[in-house]
């Protein structure tokens, strides 16, 4: 029996240590019970507990590290109360050191046990492979079943669910199963399903693997399942996805992908998703297995209530779950698709539900009102959560946000495969029930806002070509780095991806995505930047818009860019409504901005816009104002005038050779028709010499002779003759004809009898600004003049008869108050002839300036009237360019 100490504490009888230590009677019972290093023993017969304790020496208990001493008294007297001895100074250090030693020994034992288990597992695997190699080969089906049962037995027999899957034989068994399936397919005829594949489908092995992968048991099983699915779909040639026991677990596994970013399974996830996308690309109709049709909310609720009532009446109320009571449609799988008949627990309930599904939707069948269901007809009520519709797209969208650039690029490639599928249902679901459009536009906006407020336009224009997915950039390795280059490359790279995605997409999806980019990025983000008043902000945003115009290649996205810049109006302009589209008006006004840099950049943007293959661009800027030809003076022709027209002259036309402005022209200053033909592309001998048009040599001479001889300097420098412009004009005109071929423009001007001459003529805001700029060519900087004349020459190249007539025909009889390009140049030349008289040594100075511009003379002292001299040189070259364009266009129209 335990005895009470004087202090009231109960102690156990003396005990003998179970191990190397002993303990005296002074140890409390609670500590004895907690200590695993010793256990109490019964006293020997004939000996009292006190005598036994008296003969025991003091020992240290291994578990508590406290010295307990009890010296027994002869005669069985009770022991004196124990007084704790003073602890030596180094006692605490000794206890801490011993505790650490024990912890290290425990961890070492655990590592040894784990190493033993791994070694045993590897040894078992090696032994298994050896047995398989030496044993006679089993039929493929038996071998396949053996490997599958080996996997299932692991889950039945094992108790350690924390060991990684790589320490088990599961990966080896899965690989063997896959090899057997491939071997079976190779041994059979194409399209024939073998017994192993039948076993896999009938026993729903993929469903089981999905469950194991979802639970990730043992750890790492999700990676193995993803790899097995990927290899199965990639290596088996026969179509598997049409089987319900394949596409259903595949769809479930898709939902597990992209749930968490930067997980160890990201690489396997993206490979699995990409192989699914590749299979859908091969057989687009398969995408219907991955679409989840969302019914009308009212009808869906009605059907749910009908099903519940039917199942309750048939005694199937037990399948009503808590989700049903909460208003969720529990009659769907975890992928959101309706359950198949075999998945519904009650067969009678299933039959009743199918009958209820066939009921017509009529008002008297509804036993509840919209108010009772809390369902409204507003757009918000029919909005469906995106992650319930197209899980393949949603998983790829999540992986595009991965911090691993390779994973993000692969996800973008998968999306590009999906958007190109021709199935209309998939395209509609893609754009209406997923976040794809939001992802494209939101990332565009984010990257645009990350750009610096001020960027050098030259840097924006000259940064290397960007291809999405290849925007790897190292600031340290770039010798031409500038602040913001990394952000600029990222923005341009993502815009290139959006452009290519829309270019490859199915038509319906492409239109929806392009409209989203216009509304959510161009209008919401870029337009405020273009409409601001800060010159630095205007310059940067216009340069970025210019780069976007240059880079876009998708016709659908280009259409939205054009509508964003110019609007959709196609009616003739009037002075009263030129501000109808504010952005268009502002950008055209920027062509004549007080800042030359802004003017040049905006003109460059319009120049590249005119070269894009979109008919609305030219029609909106120019053609809609020339459609009625009311820039001409129209007088009904009498019989005499008709005879004159037949002889090659236009009634009312003025012969420029008789104009007082050109009285100084001599035969040496003009070229004959034969000389023009010899300097031009070869002329077809079949075309008639006189086809009713103004003779081409007169038009060419009119432009070449506009600039007076004392203002010409090109004939003093080699390589600046008219023939160089002929070659360039021929090449450019051919390119423009290819672009405009599908627009079905008329080959001749509209008949004057069908034109409306009552409306007053307005050349349009765009030509108005260009003509005003052209009228100030002698007073503008050299770079501005080059850009203005470049835009006008691009306009002149278009093969539309009204453009040719208005811009390139000097003999057109203009209506009162109207002007053409030729009349604007005539006024400039008149001003030039007056100003030449005031400048001494005008011709030598002009020649020196030309040589400096060509780099033939070194820079020297500043010459007076430099702006005027440079303007004269640009004017002379522009006239030669217009003459070459006129000749090339005439030659092309004359050649059959």
């Amino acid at each position: 029996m335990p005895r009470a100490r004087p202090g009231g504490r109960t102690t156990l009888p003396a005990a003998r240590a179970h191990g190397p230590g002993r303990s005296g009677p002074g140890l409390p019972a609670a500590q004895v019970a907690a200590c695993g290093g010793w256990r109490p023993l019964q006293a020997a017969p004939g000996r009292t507990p006190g005598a036994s304790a008296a003969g025991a020496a003091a020992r240290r208990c291994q578990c508590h590290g406290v010295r307990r001493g009890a010296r027994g008294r002869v005669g069985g007297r009770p022991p004196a109360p124990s007084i704790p001895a003073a602890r030596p100074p180094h006692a605490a250090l000794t206890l801490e050191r011993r505790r650490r030693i024990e912890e290290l020994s425990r961890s070492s034992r655990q590592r040894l046990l784990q190493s033993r288990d791994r070694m045993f597992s590897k040894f078992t695997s090696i032994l298994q492979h050896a047995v398989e190699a030496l044993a006679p080969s089993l039929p493929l089906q038996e071998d396949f079943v053996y490997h599958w049962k080996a996997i299932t037995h692991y889950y039945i027999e094992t108790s350690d669910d924390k060991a990684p899957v790589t320490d088990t034989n599961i990966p080896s068994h899965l690989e063997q199963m896959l090899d057997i399936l491939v071997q079976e397919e190779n041994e059979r005829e194409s399209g024939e399903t073998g017994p192993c594949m039948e076993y896999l489908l009938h026993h729903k092995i993929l469903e089981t693997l999905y469950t194991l992968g979802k639970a990730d048991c043992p750890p790492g099983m999700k990676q193995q399942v993803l790899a097995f699915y990927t290899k199965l779909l990639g290596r088996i040639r026969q179509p598997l996805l049409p089987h319900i026991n394949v596409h259903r677990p595949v769809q479930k596994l898709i939902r597990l992908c992209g749930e968490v970013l930067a997980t160890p399974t990201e690489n396997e996830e993206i490979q699995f998703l990409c192989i699914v996308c590749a299979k859908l690309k091969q057989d687009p109709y398969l995408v219907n297995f991955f679409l989840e049709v969302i019914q009308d909310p009212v009808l869906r609720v009605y059907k749910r209530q009908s099903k519940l009532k039917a199942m309750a009446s048939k005694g199937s109320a037990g399948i009503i779950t808590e989700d049903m009571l909460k208003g969720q449609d529990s009659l769907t799988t975890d992928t959101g698709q309706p359950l198949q008949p075999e998945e519904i627990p009650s067969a009678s309930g299933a039959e009743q539900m199918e009958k209820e599904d066939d009921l017509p939707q009529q008002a008297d069948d509804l036993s509840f009102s919209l108010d009772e269901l809390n369902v409204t007809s507003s757009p918000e009520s029919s909005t469906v959560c995106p992650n319930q519709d197209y899980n393949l797209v949603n998983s790829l969208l999540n992986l595009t946000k991965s911090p691993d650039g390779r994973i993000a690029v692969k996800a973008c490639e998968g999306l590009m495969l999906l958007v190109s599928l021709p199935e209309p249902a998939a395209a509609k679901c893609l754009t209406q029930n997923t976040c794809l459009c939001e992802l494209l536009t939101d990332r565009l906006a984010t990257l645009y806002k990350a750009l610096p407020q001020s960027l050098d336009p030259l840097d924006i224009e000259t940064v290397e070509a960007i291809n999405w997915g290849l925007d790897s950039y190292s600031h340290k390795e770039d010798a031409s780095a500038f602040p913001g280059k990394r952000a600029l490359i990222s923005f341009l790279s993502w815009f290139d991806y959006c452009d290519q995605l829309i270019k490859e997409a199915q038509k319906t999806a492409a239109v929806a995505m392009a409209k989203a980019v216009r509304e959510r990025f161009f209008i919401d983000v870029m337009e405020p930047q273009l409409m601001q008043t800060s010159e630095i902000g205007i310059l940067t945003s216009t340069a970025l818009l210019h780069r976007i115009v240059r880079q876009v290649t998708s016709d659908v996205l280009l259409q939205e860019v054009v509508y964003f810049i110019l609007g959709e109006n196609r009616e003739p302009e009037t002075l009263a409504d030129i501000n109808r589209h504010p952005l268009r008006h502002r950008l055209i006004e920027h062509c004549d901005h007080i800042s030359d840099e802004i003017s040049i950049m905006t003109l460059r943007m319009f120049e590249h816009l005119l070269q894009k293959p979109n008919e609305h661009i030219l029609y909106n800027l120019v053609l809609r104002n020339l459609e009625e030809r009311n820039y001409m003076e129209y007088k009904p022709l009498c019989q005499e005038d008709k005879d004159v027209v037949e002889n090659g002259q236009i009634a009312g036309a003025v012969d420029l050779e008789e104009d007082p402005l050109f009285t100084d022209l001599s035969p040496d200053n003009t070229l004959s028709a034969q000389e023009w033909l010899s300097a031009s592309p070869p002329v077809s001998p079949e075309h008639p010499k006189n086809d009713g048009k103004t003779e081409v040599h007169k038009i060419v001479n009119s432009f070449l002779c506009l600039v007076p001889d004392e203002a010409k300097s090109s004939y003093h420098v080699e390589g600046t003759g008219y023939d160089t412009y002929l070659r360039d004009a021929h090449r450019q005109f051919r390119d423009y004809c290819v672009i405009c071929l599908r627009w079905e423009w008329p080959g001749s001007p509209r008949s004057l009898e069908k034109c409306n001459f009552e409306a007053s003529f307005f050349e349009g805001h765009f030509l108005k600004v260009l003509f005003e700029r052209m009228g100030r060519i002698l007073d503008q900087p050299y770079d501005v003049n080059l850009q203005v004349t470049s835009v006008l020459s691009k306009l002149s190249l278009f093969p539309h008869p009204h453009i040719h007539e208005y811009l390139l025909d000097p003999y057109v009889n203009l209506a009162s108050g109207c002007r053409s390009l030729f009349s604007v140049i005539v006024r400039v030349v008149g001003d030039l002839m007056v100003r030449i008289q005031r400048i001494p040594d005008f011709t030598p100075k002009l020649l020196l300036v030309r040589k400096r511009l060509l780099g033939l003379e070194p820079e020297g002292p500043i010459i007076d009237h430099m702006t005027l001299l440079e303007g004269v040189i640009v004017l002379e070259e522009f006239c030669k360019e217009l003459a070459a364009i006129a000749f090339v266009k005439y030659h092309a129209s004359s050649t059959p």
Side-chain angles (χ1 to χ4, degrees):
M1 294 291 294
R3 293 175 295 181
R5 286 191 175 186
R9 297 177 64 187
T10 303
T11 61
L12 294 176
R16 180 168 300 170
H18 179 67
R22 295 170 183 263
S23 178
L27 190 62
Q31 260 181 322
V32 171
C35 178
W38 58 276
R39 56 188 175 87
L41 299 176
Q42 298 292 334
R47 298 183 62 183
T48 62
S52 175
R59 295 288 185 269
R60 179 182 301 275
C61 176
Q62 292 181 356
C63 292
H64 301 282
V66 187
R67 187 176 297 277
R68 300 281 185 181
R71 192 177 297 275
R73 302 291 183 180
V74 180
R77 296 173 59 185
S82 60
I83 302 174
R87 181 173 294 178
H90 61 279
L93 297 176
T94 304
L95 293 175
E96 181 65 24
R97 190 178 300 114
R98 183 163 296 187
R99 189 180 299 111
R100 290 182 180 177
I101 292 174
E102 291 176 356
E103 291 176 356
L104 288 174
S105 63
R106 274 197 302 271
S107 62
S108 299
R109 284 196 299 271
Q110 292 176 356
R111 285 195 296 269
L112 287 174
L113 290 174
Q114 293 176 357
S115 299
R116 184 194 66 185
D117 294 341
R118 283 196 298 268
M119 185 179 299
F120 180 74
S121 175
K122 292 180 180 178
F123 176 74
T124 304
S125 178
I126 293 173
L127 184 62
Q128 176 184 344
H129 286 302
V131 171
E132 292 174 354
L134 296 176
S137 59
L138 296 173
L140 289 180
Q141 184 178 4
E142 294 184 17
D143 202 9
F144 185 82
V145 173
Y146 162 75
H147 288 292
W148 175 240
K149 289 186 175 180
I151 295 175
T152 57
H153 287 167
Y154 169 84
Y155 290 94
I156 298 174
E157 299 171 356
T158 187
S159 59
D160 184 11
D161 58 351
K162 295 183 179 180
V165 70
T166 52
D167 292 347
T168 69
N169 292 327
I170 293 178
S172 175
H173 287 302
L174 289 175
E175 190 66 31
Q176 291 292 329
M177 292 171 61
L178 188 64
D179 292 340
I180 291 173
L181 292 173
V182 174
Q183 180 182 351
E184 179 186 66
E185 185 182 43
N186 293 334
E187 293 176 355
R188 292 181 173 271
E189 295 181 0
S190 176
E192 184 180 354
T193 302
C196 297
M197 182 61 70
E198 292 283 358
Y199 185 89
L200 180 138
L201 298 175
H202 180 71
H203 289 81
K204 300 183 179 180
I205 290 179
L206 295 180
E207 289 275 4
T208 306
L209 287 176
Y210 157 74
T211 305
L212 299 177
K214 182 178 181 181
D216 200 26
C217 179
M221 188 62 186
K222 183 179 178 181
Q223 286 178 299
Q224 298 297 325
V225 172
L226 286 167
F228 182 81
Y229 271 64
T230 303
K231 294 176 182 177
L232 179 68
L233 295 175
R235 295 172 62 180
I236 299 298
R237 296 188 299 273
Q238 60 177 306
L240 295 178
L241 287 178
H243 295 280
I244 188 173
N245 289 332
V246 176
H247 71 252
R248 183 178 294 172
V250 165
Q251 187 172 8
K252 292 178 181 179
L253 192 59
I254 286 172
R255 297 186 66 187
L256 298 181
C257 299
E259 288 183 327
V260 182
L261 297 180
T263 59
T265 61
E266 264 194 345
N267 189 46
E268 287 77 12
E269 289 175 6
I270 193 60
Q271 290 181 2
F272 165 65
L273 294 176
C274 285
I275 194 66
V276 174
C277 294
K279 289 296 180 181
L280 297 183
K281 182 66 175 177
Q282 293 177 4
D283 299 304
Y285 76 93
L286 295 176
V287 74
N288 295 292
F289 294 118
F290 298 89
L291 300 180
E292 302 168 18
V293 180
I294 302 300
Q295 298 175 352
D296 180 79
V298 178
L299 183 59
R300 186 168 63 248
V301 175
Y302 164 68
K303 286 187 176 182
R304 176 160 63 247
Q305 296 291 339
S306 300
K307 292 172 184 178
L308 295 181
K309 292 177 182 179
M311 289 184 290
S313 63
K314 295 293 183 178
S316 305
I319 68 172
I320 300 178
T321 64
E322 183 180 359
D323 289 339
M324 290 182 180
L325 299 179
K326 292 180 180 178
Q328 298 179 1
D329 192 357
S330 63
L331 298 178
T332 57
T333 64
D334 59 349
T335 63
Q337 285 187 329
L339 286 174
Q340 300 297 324
E342 66 266 22
E343 294 181 289
I344 301 177
S346 173
S348 60
E351 295 174 0
Q352 184 65 24
M353 284 187 291
E354 290 176 358
K355 294 178 181 179
E356 293 292 334
D357 285 344
D358 296 332
L359 292 176
Q361 184 184 8
Q362 297 181 3
D364 54 358
D365 291 334
L366 295 174
S367 59
F368 42 81
S369 64
L370 293 178
D371 294 335
E372 292 172 347
L373 293 175
N374 293 323
V375 177
T376 64
S377 60
S378 63
E380 290 77 12
S381 64
S382 60
T383 301
V384 183
C385 184
N387 60 11
Q388 294 180 353
D389 298 331
Y390 206 162
N391 294 317
L392 182 56
V393 173
N394 293 321
S395 297
L396 289 171
L397 290 176
N398 290 336
L399 289 175
T400 58
K401 306 170 187 176
S402 171
D404 189 342
R406 296 171 300 175
I407 300 295
V409 169
K410 293 291 289 183
C412 290
E413 292 175 352
L415 288 173
M416 189 166 291
L417 288 176
L418 291 182
V419 300
S420 64
L421 298 179
E423 292 293 317
K428 182 179 179 180
C429 186
L430 182 78
T431 55
Q432 295 184 3
N433 300 324
T434 71
C435 299
L436 177 60
C437 295
E438 288 78 4
L439 170 81
L440 299 178
T441 55
D442 291 350
R443 187 170 296 186
L444 264 180
T446 301
L447 294 173
Y448 183 87
K449 293 175 182 177
L451 296 173
Q453 293 294 323
S454 175
L455 281 172
D456 189 344
L458 186 61
D459 291 334
I460 297 174
E461 184 176 353
T462 58
V463 70
E464 56 271 14
I466 304 300
N467 294 320
W468 73 273
L470 302 176
D471 62 338
S472 57
Y473 171 74
S474 175
H475 182 80
K476 297 180 180 179
E477 299 176 0
D478 189 4
S480 60
F482 55 85
K485 186 172 184 178
R486 168 71 270 180
L488 178 61
I489 289 178
S490 298
F491 168 73
L492 294 177
S493 174
W494 186 250
F495 182 82
D496 179 67
Y497 173 71
C498 296
D499 181 41
Q500 296 300 319
L501 191 71
I502 296 173
K503 188 176 183 179
E504 298 293 333
Q506 193 261 3
K507 186 176 181 180
T508 304
V511 171
M513 289 187 290
K515 287 184 176 179
V517 171
R518 175 189 172 190
E519 294 170 0
R520 298 170 61 93
F521 172 66
F522 285 118
I523 295 178
D524 293 348
V525 179
M526 283 203 73
E527 185 170 353
Q529 299 295 316
L530 293 166
M531 298 289 286
Q532 64 180 309
T533 56
S534 169
E535 290 189 2
I536 295 178
I538 293 173
L539 185 61
T540 302
S541 57
T542 306
L544 288 169
L545 180 62
H546 173 220
R547 181 60 191 255
I548 288 173
V549 169
R550 284 176 49 200
Q551 190 168 318
V552 65
T553 58
S554 166
D555 291 339
V556 179
L557 184 57
L558 174 62
Q559 184 72 44
E560 296 301 326
V561 172
V562 170
Y563 285 161
F564 165 68
I565 296 175
L566 304 178
E568 303 181 28
N569 300 324
R570 295 178 69 87
E571 300 83 10
E573 292 181 78
T574 61
L575 280 172
D577 66 353
I578 59 174
N579 197 17
R580 188 172 181 180
H581 188 73
L583 180 62
R584 176 184 186 272
H585 179 266
R586 181 68 61 88
L587 289 174
I588 293 177
E589 287 294 323
H590 286 173
C591 294
D592 197 6
H593 198 273
I594 190 174
S595 168
D596 292 334
E597 285 185 294
I598 293 177
S599 297
I600 292 173
M601 184 51 62
T602 310
L603 286 167
R604 288 181 60 82
M605 187 274 295
F606 277 109
E607 179 183 4
H608 281 96
L609 190 65
L610 287 169
Q611 299 176 52
K612 289 294 178 178
N614 188 284
E615 185 267 347
H616 184 72
I617 298 171
L618 189 67
Y619 193 88
N620 180 277
L621 289 174
V622 178
L623 276 180
R624 59 173 170 166
N625 303 307
L626 307 180
E627 197 73 24
E628 298 296 334
R629 299 179 69 189
N630 48 1
Y631 49 82
M632 296 180 60
E633 177 95 26
Y634 175 66
K635 295 179 181 179
L637 298 179
C638 60
Q639 186 61 39
E640 296 180 358
D641 293 332
K642 292 180 180 179
D643 296 337
V644 173
V645 171
E646 291 177 0
N647 293 328
Q649 299 293 332
I650 297 179
V654 178
D655 192 347
L656 293 184
E657 294 180 0
E658 300 176 359
D659 194 296
L661 186 61
F662 299 96
T663 54
D664 59 336
L665 297 181
S666 62
D668 297 335
N669 295 335
T670 61
L671 296 178
S672 64
Q674 291 297 328
E675 291 174 322
W676 295 129
L677 293 175
S678 63
S680 65
V683 182
S684 173
E686 289 84 5
H687 76 276
K689 293 183 178 180
N690 191 349
D691 57 356
K693 298 182 180 180
T694 306
E695 295 181 11
V696 64
H697 74 277
K698 289 186 177 181
I699 296 177
V700 171
N701 281 333
S702 298
F703 281 109
L704 290 179
C705 299
L706 271 176
V707 180
D709 286 347
E710 57 267 28
K712 292 181 178 179
S713 56
S714 58
Y715 57 89
H716 294 290
V717 180
E718 294 183 0
T720 59
Y722 168 76
D723 55 336
T724 58
Y725 287 102
L726 275 175
R727 288 190 290 268
D728 292 340
H730 181 73
R731 174 181 53 81
Q732 294 177 12
F733 180 69
R734 182 181 55 200
D735 295 340
Y736 274 76
C737 288
V738 172
I739 294 175
C740 305
L741 188 62
R742 57 180 177 175
W743 297 344
E744 299 180 355
W745 280 347
S748 59
R750 186 177 184 182
S751 174
L752 293 176
E753 288 77 11
K754 298 180 181 180
C755 295
N756 179 21
F757 289 92
E758 295 180 359
S760 60
F761 174 72
F762 175 54
E763 64 259 28
H765 193 197
F766 187 59
L767 283 181
K768 174 178 177 295
V769 172
L770 290 179
F771 286 170
E772 290 174 355
R773 275 291 196 183
M774 190 65 203
R776 302 196 303 268
I777 191 172
L778 301 179
D779 303 302
Q780 293 176 157
Y782 178 72
D783 294 334
V784 174
N785 289 334
L786 287 179
Q787 197 59 56
V788 171
T789 54
S790 178
V791 174
L792 286 170
S793 65
K794 294 294 187 300
L795 283 174
S796 303
L797 280 166
F798 280 99
H800 194 284
H802 294 174
I803 289 180
H804 179 85
E805 182 179 56
Y806 184 64
L807 296 181
L808 292 178
D809 190 353
Y811 295 93
V812 64
N813 191 20
L814 293 175
S816 176
C818 297
R819 59 180 175 177
S820 66
L821 177 58
F822 187 82
S823 67
V824 171
I825 298 177
V826 167
R827 292 188 181 93
V828 172
V829 171
D831 182 35
L832 173 63
M833 295 177 67
V834 174
R835 297 171 68 173
I836 285 177
Q837 309 300 326
R838 306 172 186 171
I839 302 175
D841 301 326
F842 178 82
T843 302
K845 290 180 180 179
L846 185 65
L847 182 59
L848 179 59
V849 171
R850 175 180 282 273
K851 290 184 177 180
R852 285 186 180 181
L853 291 174
L854 295 175
L856 302 178
E857 289 285 342
E859 293 294 330
I862 299 177
I863 303 176
D864 296 335
H865 309 285
M866 177 65 75
T867 302
L868 172 64
L869 296 173
E870 290 176 341
V872 173
I873 294 173
V874 174
L875 179 62
E876 180 186 359
E877 298 301 316
F878 182 52
C879 290
K880 291 193 294 185
E881 186 175 12
L882 291 178
I885 294 173
F887 180 82
V888 167
K889 293 178 74 174
Y890 172 80
H891 173 70
S893 63
S894 302
T895 304

